[in-house]
Amino acid sequence: MRIGLGINYAGGFKEVAAEVADLERAGLDIAFVPEAYSYDAVSGLGYLAAKTDRVQLASGILQLYTRTPTLTAMTAAGLDYVSDGRYILGLGASGPQVIEGFHGVPYDAPIGRTREVIEICRKVWRRERLQYDGKYYTIPLPAERGTGLGKPLKLINHPVRERIPVLLAALGPKNVELAAEIAEGWQPIFFLPEKAEDIWGDALAAGKAKRDAALGDLEVYAGPALAIGDNVDGLREFVKPHLALYIGGMGAKGKNFYHTLATKYGYGAEADRIQELYLAGEKEAATKVVPDDLVRDISLIGSAGFVKERIAAFREAGVTVLNVVPLAGTPGERVKLIEQLRELV
């Protein structure tokens, strides 16, 4: 099992880079740079590439709608170059709150767009003259939609790799099936090992049945919160506001992927109540409704023995990367947690 960690995207690059360098020495395998509505991820990834030597660097995630497919491919090739082949292209649709609310771009057809973006990226990395006639993207633009002067071009540079690993963040059955079919990695959220097969097993199987063998085995990236010690169970309370935000506030009633997931996990009544309270502005009350068992089962918070048992459960469920969220107040404490986790995996 490999160990990943998402950096704090609200902080500055210099401070983060120093910490990632220490985490790299402690055994961290992958550093993820989020892109929400703070600084862009690409600037941070480029900065980290210059300040690290071994750790892989992943966008976690670049949003489908905020760049053209070709620019996504160019950016990935550039990041792979400056990192000497250490980049992982994390892609995802995000949600309408960010895409429409912050970028002013319609949130439509995430599954179809995902497939086409990846197909275009791989053509660019292979340095093919880019001609693509898809449902959502057409390159070059036809004369009736432009000037008629566009011609097929290929990337000037020779990429370090013509197959940069693609990691898809996906939750719904069709999205997960697509990830299992065409991506090197799949990143769910709030992964509960004992329920994973029931929730995603059919979708994963359907995707893998169509998977190109050249892609290799599908990597599965889970994202548990992490705290190791004999008196850390109380830290599970710090996970609840995050769950309440997603289950209750990320979308409207009937259009919230995370509420749906919690319901499938068997917490439908709680999910309804969390959403009701959160959308009414009662965030603290919503947080109190988040089930203790849910927090315990999706996290790695407890004694070393408990965490080791949970790691085994994640591994049994097919997880290959633990993209952890250390519950620690200082860089030194986060480094220590990664060292402890390295011993347990």
Side-chain angles (χ1 to χ4, degrees), residues 2 4-5 30-33 56-64 72 76 87-93 114 117-118 122 125 163-170 175 178-180 182-189 211 215 218-222 320-321 323:
R2 293 187 294 157
L5 177 149
I30 310 171
F32 285 78
V33 181
Q56 288 186 290
L57 302 171
S59 47
I61 57 172
L62 296 188
Q63 298 147 355
L64 290 176
T72 297
Y87 178 60
I88 298 170
L89 174 58
L91 282 174
T114 299
V117 167
I118 293 174
R122 288 175 174 159
W125 299 333
R163 176 59 68 82
I164 296 170
V166 174
L167 166 65
L168 285 182
N175 303 66
L178 182 67
I182 68 173
E184 280 83 0
W186 165 53
Q187 183 178 18
I189 194 171
R211 185 177 181 83
L215 289 172
L218 180 70
E219 296 259 32
V220 180
Y221 294 68
T320 57
V321 179
N323 185 27

Side-chain angles (χ1 to χ4, degrees), residues 1-5 23-24 26-32 54-58 86 88 320-322 338 342 345:
M1 261 181 153
R2 293 187 294 157
I3 299 172
L5 177 149
L23 289 165
E24 180 179 44
L28 186 71
D29 297 301
I30 310 171
F32 285 78
R54 178 193 58 82
V55 69
Q56 288 186 290
L57 302 171
R86 291 185 285 138
I88 298 170
T320 57
V321 179
L322 292 170
I338 295 302
R342 174 53 64 196
V345 298

Side-chain angles (χ1 to χ4, degrees), residues 42 45 57 59 62 67 69-83 85-91 121-122 124-125 155 159-161 163-166:
V42 178
L45 286 161
L57 302 171
S59 47
L62 296 188
R67 297 169 177 85
T70 313
L71 178 58
T72 297
M74 293 163 60
T75 299
L79 288 170
D80 207 43
Y81 174 77
V82 298
S83 65
R86 291 185 285 138
Y87 178 60
I88 298 170
L89 174 58
L91 282 174
C121 282
R122 288 175 174 159
V124 172
W125 299 333
L155 189 68
V160 174
R161 295 178 290 176
R163 176 59 68 82
I164 296 170
V166 174

Side-chain angles (χ1 to χ4, degrees), residues 9-10 34-41 61 63 66 94-95 97-99 101-103 245-246 250:
Y9 55 80
E35 186 170 79
Y37 38 97
S38 180
Y39 292 133
D40 72 291
I61 57 172
Q63 298 147 355
T66 57
S94 187
Q97 293 91 338
V98 173
I99 300 306
F102 193 64
H103 294 283
L245 167 64
Y246 277 76
M250 286 295 194

Side-chain angles (χ1 to χ4, degrees), residues 136-150:
Y136 306 101
Y137 303 101
T138 303
I139 306 171
L141 200 65
E144 61 268 23
R145 292 170 53 194
T147 65
L149 299 176

Side-chain angles (χ1 to χ4, degrees), residues 106-127:
Y107 184 87
D108 69 327
I111 298 173
R113 288 186 184 277
T114 299
R115 180 184 293 277
E116 293 191 10
V117 167
I118 293 174
E119 289 175 352
I120 291 168
C121 282
R122 288 175 174 159
K123 283 177 174 287
V124 172
W125 299 333
R126 292 193 298 265
R127 300 190 70 244

